[in-house]
Amino acid sequence: MVLGENFHSRFVAWAKIILPILALGLLSTLFLLSRTVDVSGTIPYSTIDLEQRAQDQGATNPRFAGVATGGEEVSFIADTVRPDPTNPEKMLADQVRAQVNLLGGTVMNIEAANGESDQLALTAQLTGDVRVLLTTGYDIRTERLDAQFDTVYAESPGPVTATGPPGDLQAGRMVLTTGGEVGDADLLFTDGVKLIYLPRETKD
């Protein structure tokens, strides 16, 4: 009995030493065989400058709508809008789209790569691939269009190209207003107008 008890006591004593050592060995083996993690690599989502985004003010996909003094309905959409860092009264926009519903029934759609608005002067300047589409059949292209918010008025101080019911034309300047009692769009092309007249096809 004494021999059995001594053996059991020694076995338990050695087990208390050997088993923890084996456990440490197994854990070490797991770490050594596991895939090495490159802690110096960048996290996929860390490409965004979060500090800069936190400092920037603006809105994504803003939508505005209103009515001009003449009663025309105006709507505005852009990909992004943000304050001008050099002038707090101005707003900068990217990928601008606007729609104006004239009282005479004509709809005017305007597209531009960039936009800048002055809230005090109630004016806007559209630049970069500006396109004006009228449901009367005109498709006008220019690089800059100056507009007013309080009334339907737009002016291109530079060259314009257009296609419309009369044909294809080029001009050094264009002014768009609403005229007459019908409230439809009046287009005035000046400064060296060149028109290629395209007669309408008539049915026999």
Side-chain angles (χ1 to χ4, degrees), residues 138 162-171 192-198:
Y138 282 91
T163 60
D168 298 336
L169 63 85
Q170 298 178 358
V193 179
K194 296 180 181 180
L195 172 63
I196 300 176
Y197 176 67
L198 300 175

Side-chain angles (χ1 to χ4, degrees), residues 57-64 75-85 87 89-98 110-119 123-130 143 145 149:
Q57 299 180 13
T60 302
N61 296 324
R63 296 171 179 263
F64 306 99
S75 61
F76 170 89
I77 304 173
D79 284 0
T80 57
V81 171
R82 62 195 181 281
D84 187 341
N87 187 347
E89 299 299 334
K90 290 186 177 182
M91 300 293 290
L92 306 177
D94 298 319
Q95 299 302 321
V96 180
R97 284 94 63 197
I110 304 173
E111 301 174 356
N114 307 105
E116 176 183 311
S117 66
D118 190 320
Q119 301 177 70
T123 59
Q125 183 181 103
L126 304 178
T127 56
D129 297 327
V130 181
E143 282 299 312
L145 190 70
F149 290 146

